[in-house]
Amino acid sequence: MPAPTPMPYDTSPIHYRVEPADRHAHLFRVTLTIAEPAAGQQVSLPVWIPGSYLVREFARHLQRLTARQAGADRAVAQIDKCSWRIDCAAGSPLTLTYEVYAFDNSVRACWLDSRRGFFNGTGLCLRVEGQEDRPHALDVVAPPADDNWKVATALQPVAVDAQGFGTYRADGYDTLADSPVEMGDFWSGDFVAAGVPHRFVVAGAAPSFDGARLLEDARRICETQIGFWHPDGTAAPHDRYVFMLNAVDDGYGGLEHRHSTALICNRRDLPRTGDPRSSEGYTTLLGLISHEYFHTWNVKRLRPAEFARYDYTRENYTGLLWFFEGFTSYYDDLLLRRAGLIDDVGYLRLLGKTINQVLQAPGRQVQSVAEASFDAWVKYYRQDENTANATISYYTKGALVALCLDLTLRQSGHDRATLDTVMRTLWQRCAGGPLTEDDVAAVLQDISGRSFAAELAAWVHGTDELPLAALLKAQGVGVHDDPSQPAQRLGVRVAESDGSVQVKVVLRGGAAEKAGLSAGDEWIGVRAEGAADTWRLGKLDDLTFYLGDARRATVWVARDRRIVELPLELPAADTTLRLTADDAAKLATWLGASTPSV
């Protein structure tokens, strides 16, 4: 093996060198050089990553922090959970070295093993306090004795080799923190959408993976979204974009960045060579790609005013996640439809699923979607058995608020009155920058000719039911009630494995709660009222098989190793909502294409 190429030195005043030091121990080694430190320079590691609203305490993975200046060791004193002060003089270059344990196989933190490396700057790169806006350089070092590893990142290269290892530059810490890095022997492909070069890298794919199809479908999504935001042909706000997809046995998620996104999916959901069908899992993956790419405009640039400058040391509160995540969730599948990747029936099936998720959550009558946005830090990312009873998702409820606003606008008869026009007008009004709820209200009124204060109060700040059925029917959608599954009828959510039924959630006011079932119970058996036989319950869908037409039964659960007998009364048959495409012409004005430029 030839000797590694020496890293070129960059003159940026803040310079990081990142090495995959020990892949078996999952350790990155970081060398941070500060050209002009302050006396007693302070450094800190973020406690959260923008886009994922939970304090994750990344500093818990940092170890062996040392400092040297002018050839001598300098004392390092920790001053709080994520900050350190260096006993150094001003002016003379200061070098810090430390290790970061990287074994979080998600899109939010850092990962390193023998096959793959990945990191976000928020989990790896100490922030040099007082110098955040100065240029930052990042050296990414290749692991020893591995010719197959490559690098993918949206950072601007300064001097890199054919595999991508070398020096990158960011204009400040925010850009560095917003630019994840993927390393490994990954698959890579490229396409151009509306003149913007895009790269798609996939780690962990099976040999059956059809990369060409994924590239083409992603290109169609990106073309459609750039056209949505810029129908007049103006340039997109990004000059490059990188998709980083980690395919695993079981996983799903994404995190948006200004010029890239990190994604995770089940590798079985990837498209397969020779199979033109679109599985439910692949459609879900395309929706994820669409969602994260829409964030390029909506949240990374057009963002809450509270996020004009991130505070990495604490929670950053906003009541607008219903708009930034919810409206993005509305458009992710809608733009799949407009890109021709799903048809009307497929879109309405996805929309019906979202509606049922909201209608089956008792928490929608407890928490407004604005409150859910503000409480994300303590509720959405800390879900438990009571979450569905006490909270509502700003993703799903926010998407339905967007739907109701869009259909209300479209049915008003006012020229150009659509949510598409609202989004593009907000982009222009706010110059692609910070946004407030007052901006949303003002644009809604400008576009429609009337105030939407009542709707925002009821739908966003209240817990009123949304007028979904009436609006959908007026847009050519059939709304039907179908018999529900036993779980919905009972108001319970379970996990089933190897013939065991484990109760995970008991919904407020449902038959399961009235019977006395609790989260954590193992549902063992059931006997219909007046019947002679008791049946072992192996899956919840067998309940009606064993009960027949009986409305009353006795059930047995195991709770804390005790067998508990409970009386169960089944309610009358519940229903779930199903949508159908009843008027193609009306649907086409909504699902088929965007409205003209503002």
Side-chain angles (χ1 to χ4, degrees), residues 214-268:
L214 180 63
L215 286 180
E216 173 57 19
D217 291 347
R219 184 195 64 78
R220 292 169 66 178
I221 290 169
C222 297
E223 290 269 9
T224 300
Q225 294 203 12
I226 293 172
F228 171 87
W229 286 101
H230 308 281
D232 56 357
T234 55
H238 51 298
D239 60 357
R240 65 199 184 280
Y241 199 87
V242 182
F243 292 96
M244 306 174 199
L245 174 59
N246 180 25
V248 297
D249 182 61
D250 185 21
Y252 175 81
L255 190 61
E256 68 276 0
H257 302 279
R258 284 175 69 89
H259 289 91
S260 61
T261 184
L263 309 166
I264 188 167
C265 78
N266 186 322
R267 64 172 57 91
R268 294 182 181 275

Side-chain angles (χ1 to χ4, degrees), residues 85-107:
R85 180 183 294 112
I86 315 302
D87 183 15
C88 64
S92 178
L94 172 68
T95 299
L96 309 181
T97 60
Y98 56 94
E99 295 173 341
V100 171
Y101 177 69
F103 203 58
D104 182 342
N105 199 17
S106 73
V107 297

Side-chain angles (χ1 to χ4, degrees), residues 47-363:
V47 303
W48 70 292
I49 181 169
S52 183
Y53 306 104
L54 178 69
V55 171
R56 298 186 182 276
E57 312 291 18
F58 295 123
R60 72 189 191 276
H61 297 309
L62 188 149
Q63 61 190 43
R64 297 179 183 270
L65 175 59
T66 61
R68 287 183 66 82
Q69 186 181 49
D73 292 340
R74 299 295 180 180
V76 178
Q78 187 164 2
I79 56 179
D80 60 31
K81 65 180 182 180
C82 63
S83 305
W84 295 262
R85 180 183 294 112
I86 315 302
D87 183 15
C88 64
S92 178
L94 172 68
T95 299
L96 309 181
T97 60
Y98 56 94
E99 295 173 341
V100 171
Y101 177 69
F103 203 58
D104 182 342
N105 199 17
S106 73
V107 297
R108 299 177 296 266
C110 305
W111 173 268
L112 182 64
D113 67 3
S114 61
R115 299 184 63 86
R116 174 178 176 263
F118 173 82
F119 64 85
N120 288 286
T122 46
L124 196 73
C125 298
L126 285 169
R127 185 168 58 97
V128 182
E129 298 187 8
Q131 301 196 42
E132 296 89 344
D133 294 331
R134 304 189 72 187
H136 287 51
L138 175 71
D139 287 347
V140 184
V141 182
D146 199 321
D147 293 330
N148 296 320
W149 275 40
K150 303 179 288 292
V151 171
T153 180
L155 283 168
Q156 292 284 9
V158 174
V160 300
D161 63 20
Q163 302 299 95
F165 290 99
T167 304
Y168 297 84
R169 179 176 289 184
D171 57 9
Y173 187 84
D174 283 348
T175 299
L176 179 70
D178 195 40
S179 305
V181 175
E182 176 79 28
M183 294 186 288
D185 186 14
F186 49 71
W187 175 91
S188 179
D190 301 278
F191 62 88
V192 175
V196 179
H198 292 67
R199 185 182 187 188
F200 212 125
V201 303
V202 181
S208 61
F209 166 53
D210 186 348
R213 181 178 178 189
L214 180 63
L215 286 180
E216 173 57 19
D217 291 347
R219 184 195 64 78
R220 292 169 66 178
I221 290 169
C222 297
E223 290 269 9
T224 300
Q225 294 203 12
I226 293 172
F228 171 87
W229 286 101
H230 308 281
D232 56 357
T234 55
H238 51 298
D239 60 357
R240 65 199 184 280
Y241 199 87
V242 182
F243 292 96
M244 306 174 199
L245 174 59
N246 180 25
V248 297
D249 182 61
D250 185 21
Y252 175 81
L255 190 61
E256 68 276 0
H257 302 279
R258 284 175 69 89
H259 289 91
S260 61
T261 184
L263 309 166
I264 188 167
C265 78
N266 186 322
R267 64 172 57 91
R268 294 182 181 275
D269 292 338
L270 291 170
R272 303 182 188 185
T273 302
D275 186 355
R277 296 172 297 176
S278 291
S279 67
E280 182 178 345
Y282 183 52
T283 299
T284 299
L285 173 59
L286 292 179
L288 177 65
I289 292 169
S290 180
H291 183 98
E292 302 305 334
Y293 196 69
F294 198 82
H295 275 318
T296 305
W297 293 266
N298 195 39
V299 91
K300 294 311 298 183
R301 290 172 173 84
L302 193 66
R303 61 194 184 277
E306 297 91 340
F307 291 176
R309 189 66 186 260
Y310 296 122
D311 183 346
Y312 294 103
T313 67
R314 58 182 294 277
E315 298 89 343
N316 290 214
Y317 293 100
T318 178
L320 283 172
L321 294 183
W322 60 268
F323 178 87
F324 289 100
E325 290 293 354
F327 281 38
T328 299
S329 295
Y330 172 62
Y331 276 108
D332 55 21
D333 290 335
L334 180 57
L335 293 177
L336 287 188
R337 173 65 194 95
R338 293 181 182 170
L341 293 169
I342 55 177
D343 58 16
D344 289 354
V345 172
Y347 173 73
L348 293 176
R349 183 182 301 115
L350 294 171
L351 179 60
K353 181 178 179 181
T354 299
I355 293 173
N356 283 317
Q357 286 175 340
V358 172
L359 294 180
Q360 293 166 17

Side-chain angles (χ1 to χ4, degrees), residues 368-381:
S368 74
V369 73
E371 292 170 335
S373 300
F374 197 85
D375 284 341
W377 297 91
V378 295
K379 292 188 177 181
Y380 184 81
Y381 286 92

